[in-house]
Amino acid sequence: MPTADSSSDSTTDPAAMREQYRSEAFTEDSLAADPMRQFARWFRQVAAGGMLHEPNAMVVSTATPEGRPSSRTVLLKTYDERGFVFFTNYGSRKGRELTANPYASLLFPWHPLARQVIVTGTAFRVPREETVAYFRTRPHGSQLGAWASDQSTVIGSREELTHRYEDLAARYPEGEKVPAPPHWGGFRVVPDAIEFWQGHENRLHDRLRYVREAGDAGWRVERLCP
Ligand SMILES: Cc1cc2nc3c(=O)[nH]c(=O)nc-3n(C[C@H](O)[C@H](O)[C@H](O)COP(=O)(O)O)c2cc1C
């Protein structure tokens, strides 16, 4: 559907864009015993390969209790056997949605490796000490930014935002300890399923999904049609 601003040649027409994914087979017997170990394996490969600008960038989807979804990119800050942690403003749209409805999806779009990981699970606020410890590691400017921005609210102008930032910078000059804002902190998404997707030729992709067994009885692995 070309318009005055778009042309339909094969470099710019999305319908004509077609990648052939060439990669090693990804089989059940090559999987780690649990999904967090499998995630660690892929994450290290992606990060070490240097092919992605921010390999820890992930798309977090949330939904209202009525089921209206919303998505945005955030940065993964830690992961371990307990789950995946990111930090944000608890009053933001995602913060409010997760408070009302804790179910979340995380998607890691690792396109240069023809890989994708999708996590579904439940989000819990991390303990305050964990937020404060992470906040301390952030650069001074980012600490002030967390105070300056009422994330997801409407603001009249960029100047308003920079004025708020400058007021805070005057109150807390470089070197001065900035307290962690009470409305800011981490969410840990505890997975109930993690799907690992590896692209292949002819759209015969591998999709291997770990699903948590009821009663915390380990994980079962299932293969999904691509
Ligand atoms: C690469 C990238 C990384 C981001 N990382 C974060 C993050 O770690 N935490 C965060 O709150 N917002 C982050 N953002 C901004 C969010 O995408 C989003 O604009 C913001 O959190 C407000 O989302 P909401 O209104 O849906 O709650 C990032 C954006 C990009 C593009």
mmCIF file of all heavy atoms in Angstrom, residues 176-224:
data_model
loop_
_atom_site.group_PDB
_atom_site.id
_atom_site.type_symbol
_atom_site.label_atom_id
_atom_site.label_comp_id
_atom_site.label_asym_id
_atom_site.label_seq_id
_atom_site.Cartn_x
_atom_site.Cartn_y
_atom_site.Cartn_z
ATOM 1 N N GLU A 176 26.535 14.264 46.299
ATOM 2 C CA GLU A 176 25.518 14.241 47.372
ATOM 3 C C GLU A 176 24.660 12.985 47.200
ATOM 4 O O GLU A 176 24.317 12.620 46.075
ATOM 5 C CB GLU A 176 24.623 15.472 47.221
ATOM 6 C CG GLU A 176 23.679 15.717 48.353
ATOM 7 C CD GLU A 176 24.256 16.681 49.394
ATOM 8 O OE1 GLU A 176 25.410 17.151 49.207
ATOM 9 O OE2 GLU A 176 23.556 16.935 50.352
ATOM 10 N N LYS A 177 24.325 12.325 48.312
ATOM 11 C CA LYS A 177 23.547 11.086 48.224
ATOM 12 C C LYS A 177 22.084 11.371 47.855
ATOM 13 O O LYS A 177 21.418 12.155 48.526
ATOM 14 C CB LYS A 177 23.620 10.365 49.566
ATOM 15 C CG LYS A 177 23.144 8.955 49.509
ATOM 16 C CD LYS A 177 23.477 8.230 50.808
ATOM 17 C CE LYS A 177 22.741 6.912 50.835
ATOM 18 N NZ LYS A 177 22.829 6.255 52.124
ATOM 19 N N VAL A 178 21.624 10.767 46.789
ATOM 20 C CA VAL A 178 20.230 10.935 46.358
ATOM 21 C C VAL A 178 19.429 9.745 46.887
ATOM 22 O O VAL A 178 19.770 8.597 46.602
ATOM 23 C CB VAL A 178 20.128 10.957 44.807
ATOM 24 C CG1 VAL A 178 18.692 11.200 44.365
ATOM 25 C CG2 VAL A 178 21.070 12.001 44.211
ATOM 26 N N PRO A 179 18.372 10.002 47.671
ATOM 27 C CA PRO A 179 17.582 8.861 48.166
ATOM 28 C C PRO A 179 16.806 8.207 47.016
ATOM 29 O O PRO A 179 16.446 8.878 46.049
ATOM 30 C CB PRO A 179 16.615 9.488 49.176
ATOM 31 C CG PRO A 179 16.568 10.936 48.839
ATOM 32 C CD PRO A 179 17.839 11.299 48.122
ATOM 33 N N ALA A 180 16.549 6.924 47.115
ATOM 34 C CA ALA A 180 15.747 6.244 46.085
ATOM 35 C C ALA A 180 14.297 6.707 46.223
ATOM 36 O O ALA A 180 13.749 6.696 47.328
ATOM 37 C CB ALA A 180 15.831 4.736 46.263
ATOM 38 N N PRO A 181 13.679 7.145 45.134
ATOM 39 C CA PRO A 181 12.282 7.600 45.246
ATOM 40 C C PRO A 181 11.373 6.454 45.706
ATOM 41 O O PRO A 181 11.532 5.322 45.243
ATOM 42 C CB PRO A 181 11.918 8.003 43.809
ATOM 43 C CG PRO A 181 13.200 8.103 43.061
ATOM 44 C CD PRO A 181 14.185 7.218 43.748
ATOM 45 N N PRO A 182 10.427 6.755 46.591
ATOM 46 C CA PRO A 182 9.558 5.680 47.093
ATOM 47 C C PRO A 182 8.675 5.072 46.005
ATOM 48 O O PRO A 182 8.260 3.925 46.109
ATOM 49 C CB PRO A 182 8.688 6.371 48.157
ATOM 50 C CG PRO A 182 8.844 7.833 47.925
ATOM 51 C CD PRO A 182 10.145 8.051 47.220
ATOM 52 N N HIS A 183 8.414 5.857 44.945
ATOM 53 C CA HIS A 183 7.538 5.372 43.868
ATOM 54 C C HIS A 183 8.322 4.664 42.766
ATOM 55 O O HIS A 183 7.793 4.401 41.691
ATOM 56 C CB HIS A 183 6.795 6.568 43.246
ATOM 57 C CG HIS A 183 7.731 7.643 42.780
ATOM 58 N ND1 HIS A 183 8.109 8.691 43.586
ATOM 59 C CD2 HIS A 183 8.399 7.797 41.626
ATOM 60 C CE1 HIS A 183 8.966 9.452 42.926
ATOM 61 N NE2 HIS A 183 9.158 8.933 41.736
ATOM 62 N N TRP A 184 9.559 4.378 43.019
ATOM 63 C CA TRP A 184 10.428 3.795 41.986
ATOM 64 C C TRP A 184 11.022 2.497 42.527
ATOM 65 O O TRP A 184 11.376 2.417 43.704
ATOM 66 C CB TRP A 184 11.535 4.811 41.667
ATOM 67 C CG TRP A 184 12.420 4.457 40.512
ATOM 68 C CD1 TRP A 184 12.279 4.854 39.222
ATOM 69 C CD2 TRP A 184 13.602 3.642 40.551
ATOM 70 N NE1 TRP A 184 13.288 4.324 38.451
ATOM 71 C CE2 TRP A 184 14.107 3.584 39.244
ATOM 72 C CE3 TRP A 184 14.271 2.943 41.560
ATOM 73 C CZ2 TRP A 184 15.250 2.870 38.912
ATOM 74 C CZ3 TRP A 184 15.405 2.228 41.231
ATOM 75 C CH2 TRP A 184 15.885 2.197 39.919
ATOM 76 N N GLY A 185 11.144 1.478 41.679
ATOM 77 C CA GLY A 185 11.740 0.240 42.171
ATOM 78 C C GLY A 185 11.686 -0.882 41.150
ATOM 79 O O GLY A 185 11.337 -0.673 39.989
ATOM 80 N N GLY A 186 12.018 -2.051 41.629
ATOM 81 C CA GLY A 186 12.130 -3.198 40.728
ATOM 82 C C GLY A 186 10.891 -4.068 40.722
ATOM 83 O O GLY A 186 10.121 -4.103 41.693
ATOM 84 N N PHE A 187 10.714 -4.752 39.613
ATOM 85 C CA PHE A 187 9.754 -5.852 39.510
ATOM 86 C C PHE A 187 10.547 -7.101 39.156
ATOM 87 O O PHE A 187 11.450 -7.050 38.309
ATOM 88 C CB PHE A 187 8.730 -5.620 38.390
ATOM 89 C CG PHE A 187 7.611 -4.690 38.739
ATOM 90 C CD1 PHE A 187 7.547 -3.412 38.192
ATOM 91 C CD2 PHE A 187 6.603 -5.097 39.601
ATOM 92 C CE1 PHE A 187 6.492 -2.561 38.491
ATOM 93 C CE2 PHE A 187 5.533 -4.252 39.911
ATOM 94 C CZ PHE A 187 5.489 -2.976 39.366
ATOM 95 N N ARG A 188 10.196 -8.196 39.800
ATOM 96 C CA ARG A 188 10.787 -9.490 39.418
ATOM 97 C C ARG A 188 9.680 -10.310 38.758
ATOM 98 O O ARG A 188 8.636 -10.548 39.386
ATOM 99 C CB ARG A 188 11.352 -10.214 40.640
ATOM 100 C CG ARG A 188 11.804 -11.648 40.331
ATOM 101 C CD ARG A 188 12.548 -12.303 41.486
ATOM 102 N NE ARG A 188 13.918 -11.781 41.591
ATOM 103 C CZ ARG A 188 14.368 -10.983 42.539
ATOM 104 N NH1 ARG A 188 13.578 -10.600 43.524
ATOM 105 N NH2 ARG A 188 15.608 -10.573 42.537
ATOM 106 N N VAL A 189 9.915 -10.705 37.526
ATOM 107 C CA VAL A 189 8.931 -11.560 36.834
ATOM 108 C C VAL A 189 9.351 -13.006 37.060
ATOM 109 O O VAL A 189 10.425 -13.442 36.634
ATOM 110 C CB VAL A 189 8.845 -11.219 35.332
ATOM 111 C CG1 VAL A 189 7.889 -12.176 34.622
ATOM 112 C CG2 VAL A 189 8.377 -9.770 35.152
ATOM 113 N N VAL A 190 8.505 -13.718 37.796
ATOM 114 C CA VAL A 190 8.748 -15.135 38.101
ATOM 115 C C VAL A 190 8.091 -15.949 36.986
ATOM 116 O O VAL A 190 6.877 -15.882 36.803
ATOM 117 C CB VAL A 190 8.150 -15.491 39.484
ATOM 118 C CG1 VAL A 190 8.324 -16.974 39.785
ATOM 119 C CG2 VAL A 190 8.802 -14.627 40.568
ATOM 120 N N PRO A 191 8.911 -16.665 36.193
ATOM 121 C CA PRO A 191 8.352 -17.298 34.995
ATOM 122 C C PRO A 191 7.489 -18.509 35.298
ATOM 123 O O PRO A 191 7.787 -19.285 36.210
ATOM 124 C CB PRO A 191 9.598 -17.729 34.206
ATOM 125 C CG PRO A 191 10.686 -17.854 35.206
ATOM 126 C CD PRO A 191 10.364 -16.898 36.330
ATOM 127 N N ASP A 192 6.411 -18.656 34.513
ATOM 128 C CA ASP A 192 5.691 -19.941 34.515
ATOM 129 C C ASP A 192 5.948 -20.685 33.211
ATOM 130 O O ASP A 192 5.713 -21.890 33.132
ATOM 131 C CB ASP A 192 4.196 -19.786 34.825
ATOM 132 C CG ASP A 192 3.524 -18.735 33.983
ATOM 133 O OD1 ASP A 192 3.755 -18.731 32.768
ATOM 134 O OD2 ASP A 192 2.766 -17.924 34.546
ATOM 135 N N ALA A 193 6.449 -19.962 32.205
ATOM 136 C CA ALA A 193 6.848 -20.620 30.952
ATOM 137 C C ALA A 193 7.893 -19.752 30.255
ATOM 138 O O ALA A 193 7.852 -18.516 30.358
ATOM 139 C CB ALA A 193 5.641 -20.817 30.054
ATOM 140 N N ILE A 194 8.839 -20.407 29.591
ATOM 141 C CA ILE A 194 9.842 -19.676 28.795
ATOM 142 C C ILE A 194 10.014 -20.418 27.478
ATOM 143 O O ILE A 194 10.332 -21.609 27.460
ATOM 144 C CB ILE A 194 11.208 -19.567 29.503
ATOM 145 C CG1 ILE A 194 11.058 -18.999 30.914
ATOM 146 C CG2 ILE A 194 12.165 -18.703 28.676
ATOM 147 C CD1 ILE A 194 12.369 -18.696 31.627
ATOM 148 N N GLU A 195 9.782 -19.676 26.396
ATOM 149 C CA GLU A 195 9.941 -20.267 25.061
ATOM 150 C C GLU A 195 11.220 -19.758 24.405
ATOM 151 O O GLU A 195 11.476 -18.557 24.376
ATOM 152 C CB GLU A 195 8.753 -19.901 24.176
ATOM 153 C CG GLU A 195 8.906 -20.471 22.770
ATOM 154 C CD GLU A 195 7.936 -19.891 21.743
ATOM 155 O OE1 GLU A 195 6.776 -19.590 22.108
ATOM 156 O OE2 GLU A 195 8.350 -19.752 20.581
ATOM 157 N N PHE A 196 11.999 -20.707 23.865
ATOM 158 C CA PHE A 196 13.215 -20.376 23.125
ATOM 159 C C PHE A 196 12.953 -20.647 21.647
ATOM 160 O O PHE A 196 12.590 -21.773 21.278
ATOM 161 C CB PHE A 196 14.391 -21.231 23.631
ATOM 162 C CG PHE A 196 14.767 -20.899 25.047
ATOM 163 C CD1 PHE A 196 14.113 -21.504 26.119
ATOM 164 C CD2 PHE A 196 15.753 -19.966 25.323
ATOM 165 C CE1 PHE A 196 14.444 -21.184 27.429
ATOM 166 C CE2 PHE A 196 16.090 -19.640 26.634
ATOM 167 C CZ PHE A 196 15.432 -20.251 27.685
ATOM 168 N N TRP A 197 13.120 -19.624 20.833
ATOM 169 C CA TRP A 197 12.811 -19.708 19.397
ATOM 170 C C TRP A 197 14.099 -19.518 18.613
ATOM 171 O O TRP A 197 14.827 -18.550 18.842
ATOM 172 C CB TRP A 197 11.822 -18.596 19.066
ATOM 173 C CG TRP A 197 11.252 -18.545 17.676
ATOM 174 C CD1 TRP A 197 10.041 -19.009 17.287
ATOM 175 C CD2 TRP A 197 11.841 -17.946 16.507
ATOM 176 N NE1 TRP A 197 9.838 -18.746 15.952
ATOM 177 C CE2 TRP A 197 10.926 -18.103 15.444
ATOM 178 C CE3 TRP A 197 13.053 -17.303 16.255
ATOM 179 C CZ2 TRP A 197 11.181 -17.635 14.146
ATOM 180 C CZ3 TRP A 197 13.313 -16.847 14.966
ATOM 181 C CH2 TRP A 197 12.378 -17.020 13.926
ATOM 182 N N GLN A 198 14.336 -20.456 17.732
ATOM 183 C CA GLN A 198 15.524 -20.363 16.874
ATOM 184 C C GLN A 198 15.054 -20.439 15.429
ATOM 185 O O GLN A 198 14.384 -21.411 15.044
ATOM 186 C CB GLN A 198 16.479 -21.527 17.199
ATOM 187 C CG GLN A 198 17.654 -21.673 16.269
ATOM 188 C CD GLN A 198 18.730 -20.629 16.521
ATOM 189 O OE1 GLN A 198 19.399 -20.672 17.541
ATOM 190 N NE2 GLN A 198 18.863 -19.674 15.608
ATOM 191 N N GLY A 199 15.393 -19.445 14.630
ATOM 192 C CA GLY A 199 14.930 -19.402 13.242
ATOM 193 C C GLY A 199 15.686 -20.370 12.350
ATOM 194 O O GLY A 199 16.891 -20.608 12.541
ATOM 195 N N HIS A 200 14.966 -20.941 11.377
ATOM 196 C CA HIS A 200 15.572 -21.851 10.402
ATOM 197 C C HIS A 200 15.042 -21.569 9.012
ATOM 198 O O HIS A 200 14.058 -20.843 8.844
ATOM 199 C CB HIS A 200 15.263 -23.310 10.760
ATOM 200 C CG HIS A 200 16.054 -23.785 11.926
ATOM 201 N ND1 HIS A 200 17.402 -23.982 11.887
ATOM 202 C CD2 HIS A 200 15.660 -24.054 13.193
ATOM 203 C CE1 HIS A 200 17.802 -24.375 13.075
ATOM 204 N NE2 HIS A 200 16.779 -24.412 13.888
ATOM 205 N N GLU A 201 15.673 -22.242 8.038
ATOM 206 C CA GLU A 201 15.252 -22.092 6.646
ATOM 207 C C GLU A 201 13.811 -22.559 6.463
ATOM 208 O O GLU A 201 13.342 -23.435 7.202
ATOM 209 C CB GLU A 201 16.151 -22.956 5.757
ATOM 210 C CG GLU A 201 17.504 -22.319 5.527
ATOM 211 C CD GLU A 201 18.390 -23.196 4.652
ATOM 212 O OE1 GLU A 201 18.264 -24.421 4.733
ATOM 213 O OE2 GLU A 201 19.194 -22.622 3.911
ATOM 214 N N ASN A 202 13.163 -22.015 5.470
ATOM 215 C CA ASN A 202 11.814 -22.433 5.058
ATOM 216 C C ASN A 202 10.785 -22.305 6.175
ATOM 217 O O ASN A 202 9.793 -23.020 6.209
ATOM 218 C CB ASN A 202 11.816 -23.871 4.523
ATOM 219 C CG ASN A 202 12.802 -24.018 3.380
ATOM 220 O OD1 ASN A 202 12.924 -23.099 2.573
ATOM 221 N ND2 ASN A 202 13.521 -25.113 3.337
ATOM 222 N N ARG A 203 11.063 -21.423 7.106
ATOM 223 C CA ARG A 203 10.143 -21.168 8.226
ATOM 224 C C ARG A 203 9.928 -22.395 9.110
ATOM 225 O O ARG A 203 8.930 -22.487 9.822
ATOM 226 C CB ARG A 203 8.768 -20.657 7.716
ATOM 227 C CG ARG A 203 8.872 -19.348 6.916
ATOM 228 C CD ARG A 203 9.402 -18.221 7.804
ATOM 229 N NE ARG A 203 9.406 -16.916 7.146
ATOM 230 C CZ ARG A 203 10.501 -16.300 6.715
ATOM 231 N NH1 ARG A 203 11.694 -16.869 6.833
ATOM 232 N NH2 ARG A 203 10.429 -15.099 6.194
ATOM 233 N N LEU A 204 10.881 -23.347 9.069
ATOM 234 C CA LEU A 204 10.759 -24.532 9.940
ATOM 235 C C LEU A 204 11.543 -24.269 11.230
ATOM 236 O O LEU A 204 12.540 -24.931 11.542
ATOM 237 C CB LEU A 204 11.279 -25.779 9.207
ATOM 238 C CG LEU A 204 10.482 -26.129 7.943
ATOM 239 C CD1 LEU A 204 11.030 -27.369 7.265
ATOM 240 C CD2 LEU A 204 8.994 -26.341 8.285
ATOM 241 N N HIS A 205 11.115 -23.257 11.920
ATOM 242 C CA HIS A 205 11.839 -22.809 13.106
ATOM 243 C C HIS A 205 11.668 -23.783 14.271
ATOM 244 O O HIS A 205 10.702 -24.530 14.327
ATOM 245 C CB HIS A 205 11.320 -21.430 13.542
ATOM 246 C CG HIS A 205 11.115 -20.490 12.402
ATOM 247 N ND1 HIS A 205 12.119 -20.169 11.528
ATOM 248 C CD2 HIS A 205 10.014 -19.811 11.979
ATOM 249 C CE1 HIS A 205 11.646 -19.333 10.617
ATOM 250 N NE2 HIS A 205 10.377 -19.107 10.865
ATOM 251 N N ASP A 206 12.630 -23.736 15.196
ATOM 252 C CA ASP A 206 12.501 -24.519 16.438
ATOM 253 C C ASP A 206 11.880 -23.643 17.512
ATOM 254 O O ASP A 206 12.312 -22.499 17.719
ATOM 255 C CB ASP A 206 13.891 -24.965 16.928
ATOM 256 C CG ASP A 206 14.459 -26.085 16.093
ATOM 257 O OD1 ASP A 206 13.721 -27.049 15.826
ATOM 258 O OD2 ASP A 206 15.635 -25.984 15.694
ATOM 259 N N ARG A 207 10.889 -24.207 18.186
ATOM 260 C CA ARG A 207 10.286 -23.512 19.342
ATOM 261 C C ARG A 207 10.226 -24.521 20.478
ATOM 262 O O ARG A 207 9.425 -25.471 20.427
ATOM 263 C CB ARG A 207 8.867 -23.035 19.017
ATOM 264 C CG ARG A 207 8.798 -22.049 17.884
ATOM 265 C CD ARG A 207 7.358 -21.684 17.597
ATOM 266 N NE ARG A 207 6.725 -20.994 18.729
ATOM 267 C CZ ARG A 207 5.419 -20.743 18.809
ATOM 268 N NH1 ARG A 207 4.597 -21.142 17.862
ATOM 269 N NH2 ARG A 207 4.931 -20.113 19.866
ATOM 270 N N LEU A 208 11.054 -24.309 21.480
ATOM 271 C CA LEU A 208 11.065 -25.214 22.630
ATOM 272 C C LEU A 208 10.642 -24.413 23.850
ATOM 273 O O LEU A 208 11.227 -23.361 24.150
ATOM 274 C CB LEU A 208 12.456 -25.821 22.812
ATOM 275 C CG LEU A 208 12.888 -26.751 21.658
ATOM 276 C CD1 LEU A 208 14.321 -27.231 21.864
ATOM 277 C CD2 LEU A 208 11.946 -27.943 21.527
ATOM 278 N N ARG A 209 9.618 -24.921 24.511
ATOM 279 C CA ARG A 209 9.043 -24.174 25.638
ATOM 280 C C ARG A 209 9.117 -24.998 26.913
ATOM 281 O O ARG A 209 8.678 -26.150 26.945
ATOM 282 C CB ARG A 209 7.589 -23.832 25.328
ATOM 283 C CG ARG A 209 6.901 -23.046 26.450
ATOM 284 C CD ARG A 209 5.568 -22.506 26.009
ATOM 285 N NE ARG A 209 4.592 -23.555 25.760
ATOM 286 C CZ ARG A 209 3.366 -23.337 25.260
ATOM 287 N NH1 ARG A 209 2.980 -22.124 24.942
ATOM 288 N NH2 ARG A 209 2.534 -24.331 25.076
ATOM 289 N N TYR A 210 9.687 -24.385 27.938
ATOM 290 C CA TYR A 210 9.672 -24.972 29.290
ATOM 291 C C TYR A 210 8.403 -24.471 29.975
ATOM 292 O O TYR A 210 8.121 -23.272 29.957
ATOM 293 C CB TYR A 210 10.836 -24.469 30.123
ATOM 294 C CG TYR A 210 12.229 -24.865 29.716
ATOM 295 C CD1 TYR A 210 12.876 -24.221 28.674
ATOM 296 C CD2 TYR A 210 12.934 -25.832 30.435
ATOM 297 C CE1 TYR A 210 14.186 -24.542 28.338
ATOM 298 C CE2 TYR A 210 14.234 -26.161 30.105
ATOM 299 C CZ TYR A 210 14.859 -25.514 29.059
ATOM 300 O OH TYR A 210 16.148 -25.825 28.736
ATOM 301 N N VAL A 211 7.684 -25.378 30.588
ATOM 302 C CA VAL A 211 6.475 -25.002 31.326
ATOM 303 C C VAL A 211 6.629 -25.502 32.754
ATOM 304 O O VAL A 211 6.972 -26.672 32.973
ATOM 305 C CB VAL A 211 5.211 -25.621 30.682
ATOM 306 C CG1 VAL A 211 3.959 -25.223 31.455
ATOM 307 C CG2 VAL A 211 5.100 -25.209 29.222
ATOM 308 N N ARG A 212 6.379 -24.618 33.710
ATOM 309 C CA ARG A 212 6.522 -25.015 35.117
ATOM 310 C C ARG A 212 5.416 -25.998 35.504
ATOM 311 O O ARG A 212 4.239 -25.736 35.242
ATOM 312 C CB ARG A 212 6.438 -23.773 36.014
ATOM 313 C CG ARG A 212 6.971 -24.007 37.403
ATOM 314 C CD ARG A 212 6.661 -22.827 38.311
ATOM 315 N NE ARG A 212 7.480 -21.640 38.064
ATOM 316 C CZ ARG A 212 8.679 -21.438 38.601
ATOM 317 N NH1 ARG A 212 9.214 -22.340 39.383
ATOM 318 N NH2 ARG A 212 9.329 -20.327 38.347
ATOM 319 N N GLU A 213 5.802 -27.106 36.093
ATOM 320 C CA GLU A 213 4.812 -28.110 36.515
ATOM 321 C C GLU A 213 4.127 -27.629 37.790
ATOM 322 O O GLU A 213 4.748 -26.938 38.603
ATOM 323 C CB GLU A 213 5.502 -29.452 36.802
ATOM 324 C CG GLU A 213 6.197 -30.069 35.600
ATOM 325 C CD GLU A 213 5.256 -30.812 34.652
ATOM 326 O OE1 GLU A 213 4.029 -30.585 34.711
ATOM 327 O OE2 GLU A 213 5.752 -31.610 33.850
ATOM 328 N N ALA A 214 2.889 -28.018 37.961
ATOM 329 C CA ALA A 214 2.138 -27.620 39.155
ATOM 330 C C ALA A 214 2.863 -28.108 40.409
ATOM 331 O O ALA A 214 3.531 -29.149 40.379
ATOM 332 C CB ALA A 214 0.738 -28.218 39.092
ATOM 333 N N GLY A 215 2.731 -27.330 41.482
ATOM 334 C CA GLY A 215 3.340 -27.716 42.759
ATOM 335 C C GLY A 215 4.851 -27.589 42.731
ATOM 336 O O GLY A 215 5.553 -28.218 43.522
ATOM 337 N N ASP A 216 5.347 -26.764 41.812
ATOM 338 C CA ASP A 216 6.782 -26.507 41.706
ATOM 339 C C ASP A 216 7.584 -27.805 41.502
ATOM 340 O O ASP A 216 8.668 -27.975 42.024
ATOM 341 C CB ASP A 216 7.292 -25.759 42.945
ATOM 342 C CG ASP A 216 8.201 -24.606 42.523
ATOM 343 O OD1 ASP A 216 8.449 -24.464 41.309
ATOM 344 O OD2 ASP A 216 8.649 -23.862 43.423
ATOM 345 N N ALA A 217 6.985 -28.722 40.724
ATOM 346 C CA ALA A 217 7.625 -30.033 40.508
ATOM 347 C C ALA A 217 8.533 -30.019 39.277
ATOM 348 O O ALA A 217 8.523 -30.957 38.488
ATOM 349 C CB ALA A 217 6.531 -31.089 40.371
ATOM 350 N N GLY A 218 9.262 -28.956 39.096
ATOM 351 C CA GLY A 218 10.202 -28.897 37.968
ATOM 352 C C GLY A 218 9.550 -28.373 36.694
ATOM 353 O O GLY A 218 8.487 -27.739 36.744
ATOM 354 N N TRP A 219 10.193 -28.647 35.577
ATOM 355 C CA TRP A 219 9.768 -28.087 34.291
ATOM 356 C C TRP A 219 9.559 -29.200 33.286
ATOM 357 O O TRP A 219 10.313 -30.166 33.262
ATOM 358 C CB TRP A 219 10.854 -27.150 33.763
ATOM 359 C CG TRP A 219 11.137 -25.990 34.639
ATOM 360 C CD1 TRP A 219 12.025 -25.942 35.684
ATOM 361 C CD2 TRP A 219 10.538 -24.698 34.572
ATOM 362 N NE1 TRP A 219 12.005 -24.700 36.272
ATOM 363 C CE2 TRP A 219 11.105 -23.907 35.607
ATOM 364 C CE3 TRP A 219 9.571 -24.117 33.745
ATOM 365 C CZ2 TRP A 219 10.737 -22.591 35.823
ATOM 366 C CZ3 TRP A 219 9.209 -22.796 33.956
ATOM 367 C CH2 TRP A 219 9.787 -22.045 34.987
ATOM 368 N N ARG A 220 8.555 -29.061 32.439
ATOM 369 C CA ARG A 220 8.448 -29.975 31.305
ATOM 370 C C ARG A 220 8.763 -29.162 30.049
ATOM 371 O O ARG A 220 8.560 -27.943 30.017
ATOM 372 C CB ARG A 220 7.078 -30.634 31.253
ATOM 373 C CG ARG A 220 6.010 -29.881 30.605
ATOM 374 C CD ARG A 220 4.718 -30.652 30.388
ATOM 375 N NE ARG A 220 3.746 -29.703 29.849
ATOM 376 C CZ ARG A 220 2.979 -28.909 30.592
ATOM 377 N NH1 ARG A 220 3.025 -28.972 31.913
ATOM 378 N NH2 ARG A 220 2.161 -28.051 30.018
ATOM 379 N N VAL A 221 9.294 -29.852 29.057
ATOM 380 C CA VAL A 221 9.652 -29.178 27.810
ATOM 381 C C VAL A 221 8.725 -29.670 26.715
ATOM 382 O O VAL A 221 8.465 -30.872 26.617
ATOM 383 C CB VAL A 221 11.118 -29.473 27.421
ATOM 384 C CG1 VAL A 221 11.428 -28.909 26.043
ATOM 385 C CG2 VAL A 221 12.075 -28.909 28.463
ATOM 386 N N GLU A 222 8.203 -28.745 25.927
ATOM 387 C CA GLU A 222 7.367 -29.141 24.800
ATOM 388 C C GLU A 222 7.819 -28.384 23.553
ATOM 389 O O GLU A 222 8.366 -27.284 23.649
ATOM 390 C CB GLU A 222 5.877 -28.889 25.111
ATOM 391 C CG GLU A 222 5.579 -27.514 25.640
ATOM 392 C CD GLU A 222 4.254 -27.415 26.388
ATOM 393 O OE1 GLU A 222 3.716 -28.435 26.862
ATOM 394 O OE2 GLU A 222 3.766 -26.281 26.517
ATOM 395 N N ARG A 223 7.623 -29.032 22.415
ATOM 396 C CA ARG A 223 7.983 -28.412 21.140
ATOM 397 C C ARG A 223 6.721 -27.866 20.498
ATOM 398 O O ARG A 223 5.692 -28.537 20.471
ATOM 399 C CB ARG A 223 8.660 -29.438 20.228
ATOM 400 C CG ARG A 223 8.999 -28.928 18.846
ATOM 401 C CD ARG A 223 9.774 -29.954 18.044
ATOM 402 N NE ARG A 223 11.162 -30.036 18.488
ATOM 403 C CZ ARG A 223 12.160 -29.315 17.972
ATOM 404 N NH1 ARG A 223 11.932 -28.442 17.000
ATOM 405 N NH2 ARG A 223 13.385 -29.459 18.419
ATOM 406 N N LEU A 224 6.808 -26.634 19.993
ATOM 407 C CA LEU A 224 5.640 -26.014 19.363
ATOM 408 C C LEU A 224 5.861 -25.923 17.855
ATOM 409 O O LEU A 224 7.002 -25.704 17.405
ATOM 410 C CB LEU A 224 5.436 -24.602 19.925
ATOM 411 C CG LEU A 224 5.259 -24.478 21.442
ATOM 412 C CD1 LEU A 224 5.211 -23.013 21.848
ATOM 413 C CD2 LEU A 224 3.988 -25.186 21.895
#
